Amino acid sequence: MTADADAATPALEIHDLTVSYHRKPVLWGIDVAVAPGQLVGIIGPNGAGKSTLIKSCMGLLPVSGGWVKVFGKSLRDDPRRVGYVPQRESVDWDFPVSVLDVVLMGRYGRLGLGRRPGKADREAARACLDKVQLLPFANRQISNLSGGQQQRVFLARALAQEADLYFMDEPFAGVDAATEAAIIAVLRELRSAGKTILVVHHDLPTARQYFDRLLLLNMNVVAFGPTEEVFTAELLQKTYGGRLTLLSEVAQALGAGANAGGGERA
Amino acid sequence: MNREPASEVERVVPNAFERRDPTCTQRVGDNALHLFRYARPALCFLGLLAFTAAPLHAANVNDLAAGDDGFWAQAARFASLTDPSVRYALAGALLLGLSCGLLGGFIVVRKMALVGDALSHAVLPGVAAGFLWAGTKDPLAIFVGATIAGLLGTATVSAITATTRLKEDTALGLVLTSYFALGICLLTMIQRLPNGNQSGIGTFLFGQAAALGADDIQLMAIVTTAAVGVIIAGYKELLVTSFDPGFARASGLPVGLIHHTLMFLLAAAVVIALQAVGVVLVSAMLITPAAAAYLLTDRLHRLLLLAAAFGVMSGVVGAFGSFVGHGLPTGPLMVLAASAVFAGAFLFGPRHGVAARWWRQRCQRARTRRENALKAMFHLWEEDNFGPEGVALADFAQRRRCTLEEIGVIVRELARHDFVTLDREMVYFTPAGRLRAGEIVRNHRLWELYLTESANIAPDHVHDDAERIEHVLGEATVRALERRLNYAKLDPHGKIIPSPRELHRGEHDALERPAAGGREGDRS
């Protein structure tokens, strides 16, 4: 219902976003507007800034310039509209929690500080686990799962967030065929429910099958559009072939200047 | 003895030995002689000491003998809680065990154990500053000073890692030592002050639960209540920020605020534990109970409860030991008690404990031994063309390449598991034994066939692998292998793959016919 009301405003609007690590720019002047209800693949070579893009959209990384709006608002105003599937390697899987505990974490953002998940939250978490076919493992400790199952736990946790815009960081990395099929089924189901999904992806052949739109990224946006238009040899060559060395150098010099200026002002 | 002076010479005269200077070897000899000359009086002195120490030692033993009586009297005094200092010490130990155990649980799962250590050392200058400020050992002034110093220490660590290329371990080491050194200097200065000697501020280094007063207990109760309250109210926030801080931030949770609250509680818990445990060892009360709990459970709430229980236990044991031990420092005793709990969990934990693992391995080895014996028996029976089901003990021993006595041990073990029966010199399969032996041989041959057919490994390379795998193949894997190999009857060496189900029903015919065929094939 909110998705209908928001039909006019983009689900995600990124304007002139610049992000640097230690003065080295990773993203440079990103301008993207994603309409609601789309399944978008973000592809590009290693170090192109794919993870950095989605992390900075969610405010997990400091940005050096530009802004990001989710359904027309700053994310800080309503973080509940965004769901997140981080990279599987980002957590310690020996952590003493059960599968259901992890999925319940998806409800924490809605609950607010100090309130505990109740029966309804538990039921919702179980339903999400069921969607990724992991309900039988709900009470297992998370290290007892295979890599693909762990990835599906993260997906179930994101489903439990009941968000409208999802960011997923390499959900298909190193998973088995069954998990890949389960994940893509869930993604399509989300899309038909009107959700917007941005997926960082590394595999070109499947990228073509899976996504409505592709965002070709290499420090800046090489192309963004419907898959059949963007998935061309020329644009892919532009994305993957050869580093944009000149831009990188100029940007670095500019970034250093901007940072130094910022330092003086502070 | 010769090595030492030799290296000394090498250091003084580089390449001394290459030049083969005769005076050097002379000097080496001289040095050795000198050492011996000094060693003799030193030995005499030691002997004299031992002689004079003997009566001293005896006095100690007498003391102990007298104190033995005293031990029970002291223990009774401790248990009766009539002495107010006992009550304070016990309450203090309970409170600090509880708060340190609970907070330690989070420290351990967040991999911040070293932060706890650095924090505990960094509070020392604050203790001294609090004392100087108040002029006496005022618990509140010391608490405020120490907490500020601790938080300043962690802020220094953050500042160093954020602005330089140094990593956290180095920053922690730097802060830990420099703050601690400053604290020691300040404490020494305080002890030289006119009112410093009675201050008892020295107990902050190694801890003395008996030094706790009513004010201290009040403060400990406040901090512990706050810690318990925050953990109960903010359990889910602490859980998610510990497990996946990035996700927590993306969900809109105030990750920074939660982290700083935890650090503040940690600093406060360290400070209240200082007097009882001492600066040097207080981090052990954070880490050890929680580490022991982590070995025993894989749910955070259980880990926290166990860690709190272990913390309280160690605290009470330490306080008791210090009381009956005539002023033994409390801190080391508490830490020893906690370490004993950890050692117990490490050695005897039901799942991950060393003893449990050893036991599982031992059982597995015993099973492998039994199964290998059953397999050998099956081979003998197979060579006898599945005739009468008995195997002569002597043939069995010959096959296993061991003596009659050794085979007797194995056969008796098999008999204990109802796999065989022994009738004088003959061993007979029971139905269960026949089934198990058939399964093992089938697993072995199936696996060999699988390796040669599906993995393209030469038939003479597959035996050793099959020897290992035959004992661990599950029923589901066996079924899958059978399907994949189209229910093959013969292994790569032309031997039949027995079907245990048919064996169980006693349908040996099914085995005999292809076996005979196999042999004919071999002959041709």
Side-chain angles (χ1 to χ4, degrees):
Chain A
M1 18 160 219
T2 34
D4 289 338
D6 292 329
T9 49
L12 174 70
E13 190 179 1
I14 305 172
H15 179 78
D16 197 19
L17 185 75
T18 299
V19 182
S20 324
Y21 276 138
H22 300 296
R23 297 192 166 183
K24 218 180 234 168
V26 186
L27 294 173
W28 184 252
I30 304 284
D31 271 312
V32 173
V34 183
Q38 285 185 334
L39 181 50
V40 180
I42 303 173
I43 58 176
N46 285 334
K50 301 177 299 248
S51 294
T52 307
L53 177 63
I54 63 170
K55 279 185 189 156
S56 44
C57 283
M58 284 179 292
L60 303 184
L61 293 174
V63 301
S64 27
W67 47 258
V68 176
K69 278 185 178 170
V70 174
F71 297 103
K73 282 189 221 156
S74 157
L75 194 61
R76 228 165 259 162
D77 297 339
D78 194 4
R80 289 181 215 175
R81 297 200 72 171
V82 167
Y84 179 34
V85 176
Q87 283 185 16
R88 183 155 51 87
E89 294 78 28
S90 63
V91 302
D92 169 19
W93 290 92
D94 283 330
F95 197 91
V97 283
S98 71
V99 169
L100 190 68
D101 288 336
V102 174
V103 179
L104 265 177
M105 288 177 192
R107 311 294 296 174
Y108 288 2
R110 322 204 129 243
L111 283 169
L113 286 182
R115 277 188 52 213
R116 316 196 130 220
K119 202 160 179 253
D121 296 303
R122 250 161 235 291
E123 283 307 312
R126 284 174 72 103
C128 294
L129 263 181
D130 196 22
K131 266 189 201 153
V132 298
Q133 289 135 41
L134 279 182
L135 192 53
F137 302 98
N139 291 319
R140 289 259 186 108
Q141 199 262 327
I142 51 174
S143 64
N144 299 321
L145 300 178
S146 72
Q149 289 171 329
Q150 291 175 344
Q151 191 66 62
R152 279 186 272 160
V153 172
F154 267 4
L155 185 63
R157 181 177 66 171
L159 291 178
Q161 289 184 285
E162 291 178 8
D164 296 312
L165 171 66
Y166 283 98
F167 293 103
M168 305 194 180
D169 203 346
E170 304 247 10
F172 298 106
V175 301
D176 50 294
T179 297
E180 184 143 355
I183 293 177
I184 197 69
V186 168
L187 293 189
R188 291 192 170 136
E189 197 180 312
L190 282 174
R191 180 187 50 186
S192 40
K195 315 282 190 189
T196 316
I197 309 139
L198 276 83
V199 180
V200 172
H201 197 60
H202 63 284
D203 184 47
L204 279 178
T206 50
R208 193 174 198 174
Q209 298 167 32
Y210 289 165
F211 303 111
D212 309 332
R213 281 171 175 263
L214 287 180
L215 174 61
L216 303 188
L217 190 75
N218 193 351
M219 229 183 80
N220 60 355
V221 178
V222 178
F224 176 54
T227 305
E228 59 271 23
E229 286 175 25
V230 174
F231 201 87
T232 62
E234 190 194 346
L235 285 173
L236 288 174
Q237 171 65 31
K238 214 171 151 192
T239 315
Y240 283 84
R243 300 242 159 219
L244 302 171
T245 43
L246 185 64
L247 180 57
S248 172
E249 277 167 25
V250 171
Q252 198 170 340
L254 282 171
N259 267 354
E264 273 159 29
R265 257 179 312 211
Chain B
M1 247 172 106
N2 269 333
R3 269 317 298 162
E4 265 307 304
S7 61
E8 183 66 38
V9 170
E10 268 179 314
R11 235 177 290 138
V12 175
V13 189
N15 301 326
F17 287 89
E18 270 84 340
R19 282 192 270 125
R20 304 233 172 252
D21 191 340
T23 56
C24 278
T25 30
Q26 180 67 38
R27 268 174 64 189
V28 171
D30 275 2
N31 273 347
L33 211 64
H34 271 303
L35 270 178
F36 187 65
R37 215 170 280 157
Y38 289 124
R40 215 162 32 173
L43 276 175
C44 289
F45 179 68
L46 277 177
L48 197 68
L49 256 184
F51 185 70
T52 47
L56 272 175
H57 185 65
N60 273 340
V61 170
N62 278 341
D63 253 9
L64 273 180
D68 216 344
D69 230 316
F71 172 85
W72 292 112
Q74 288 281 76
R77 244 180 90 203
F78 188 87
S80 68
L81 299 178
T82 41
D83 194 329
S85 78
V86 171
R87 283 204 297 273
Y88 290 145
L90 195 61
L94 278 169
L95 290 168
L96 88 89
L98 186 61
S99 55
C100 285
L102 282 175
L103 292 167
F106 286 108
I107 296 308
V108 167
V109 298
R110 283 174 173 243
K111 306 182 188 66
M112 280 170 41
L114 277 179
V115 177
D117 198 28
L119 187 65
S120 63
H121 284 76
V123 298
L124 196 58
V127 171
F131 181 88
L132 286 173
W133 182 44
T136 58
K137 214 183 99 186
D138 175 34
L140 191 65
I142 287 177
F143 177 81
V144 171
T147 311
I148 290 175
L151 295 177
L152 209 62
T154 53
T156 316
V157 171
S158 307
I160 291 174
T161 48
T163 56
T164 68
R165 64 177 80 181
L166 295 174
K167 302 295 177 282
E168 194 183 29
D169 57 335
T170 309
L172 285 172
L174 272 171
V175 168
L176 185 157
T177 46
S178 53
Y179 277 60
F180 189 58
L182 179 64
I184 295 280
C185 289
L186 287 175
L187 281 192
T188 317
M189 277 163 61
I190 288 171
Q191 272 174 333
R192 291 216 188 108
L193 293 177
N195 62 344
N197 268 335
Q198 292 87 29
S199 66
I201 200 141
T203 61
F204 280 106
L205 278 187
F206 296 111
Q208 192 52 265
L212 291 174
D215 304 351
D216 297 309
I217 298 299
Q218 232 169 20
L219 201 60
M220 289 172 102
I222 292 170
V223 170
T224 307
T225 314
V228 171
V230 166
I231 288 172
I232 289 176
Y235 176 74
K236 79 172 203 297
E237 285 80 9
L238 286 166
L239 171 66
V240 69
T241 52
S242 304
F243 173 63
D244 191 348
F247 179 83
R249 196 186 296 263
S251 316
L253 292 172
V255 176
L257 175 73
I258 293 162
H259 177 80
H260 289 127
T261 310
L262 187 65
M263 289 310 289
F264 177 75
L265 283 174
L266 194 64
V270 163
V271 174
I272 59 162
L274 273 190
Q275 273 206 66
V277 192
V279 172
V280 183
L281 289 172
V282 70
S283 65
M285 288 306 286
L286 290 170
I287 298 164
T288 316
Y294 203 171
L295 294 184
L296 298 177
T297 178
D298 48 20
R299 293 293 183 281
L300 186 62
H301 59 275
R302 275 185 233 142
L303 188 155
L304 293 179
L305 291 176
L306 271 179
F310 291 159
V312 167
M313 245 160 65
S314 331
V316 171
V317 168
F320 174 76
S322 169
F323 185 77
V324 299
H326 298 285
L328 275 175
T330 325
L333 286 171
M334 283 186 186
V335 174
L336 279 180
S339 304
V341 172
F342 177 81
F346 176 68
L347 293 174
F348 305 114
R351 251 174 305 173
H352 312 295
V354 173
R357 243 180 296 161
W358 172 81
W359 181 253
R360 277 198 297 271
Q361 275 167 8
R362 190 171 174 272
C363 290
Q364 177 63 34
R365 271 201 302 276
R367 217 186 72 176
T368 307
R369 199 169 54 232
R370 283 198 299 276
E371 290 179 349
N372 282 337
L374 278 175
K375 191 174 64 174
M377 221 173 124
F378 187 93
H379 286 150
L380 284 169
W381 182 41
E382 188 181 44
E383 278 161 23
D384 200 22
N385 215 2
F386 303 103
E389 290 192 9
V391 169
L393 209 54
D395 291 345
F396 200 1
Q398 182 66 47
R399 170 55 65 109
R400 296 291 293 154
R401 294 209 184 91
C402 58
T403 64
L404 280 172
E405 288 75 18
E406 284 161 351
I407 204 73
V409 171
I410 297 172
V411 166
R412 274 193 296 278
E413 197 189 324
L414 288 176
R416 259 205 312 283
H417 285 82
D418 282 330
F419 286 137
V420 300
T421 51
L422 184 62
D423 182 24
R424 279 191 280 185
E425 296 302 301
M426 296 292 281
V427 194
Y428 297 97
F429 275 126
T430 63
R434 194 174 54 209
L435 181 70
R436 188 73 199 125
E439 280 172 355
I440 295 297
V441 173
R442 172 202 58 186
N443 290 356
H444 183 100
R445 294 180 182 170
L446 260 183
W447 190 252
E448 284 191 340
L449 188 61
Y450 170 70
L451 287 184
T452 48
E453 297 234 317
S454 302
N456 282 327
I457 297 174
D460 57 333
H461 284 145
V462 293
H463 177 77
D464 292 341
D465 196 41
E467 279 289 299
R468 277 195 302 274
I469 217 88
E470 65 191 10
H471 304 289
V472 293
L473 274 184
E475 198 59 32
T477 322
V478 168
R479 294 280 157 81
L481 278 176
E482 282 181 334
R483 260 199 312 282
R484 188 170 174 143
L485 298 167
N486 285 325
Y487 302 92
K489 292 275 184 206
L490 295 177
D491 79 354
H493 309 294
K495 292 199 171 150
I496 52 127
I497 298 171
S499 160
R501 270 155 291 171
E502 287 168 6
L503 277 173
H504 195 48
R505 289 199 298 268
E507 294 172 14
H508 307 139
D509 304 351
L511 289 170
E512 275 172 52
R513 262 181 272 110
R519 254 196 284 282
E520 296 229 339
D522 280 353
R523 251 182 254 135
S524 62

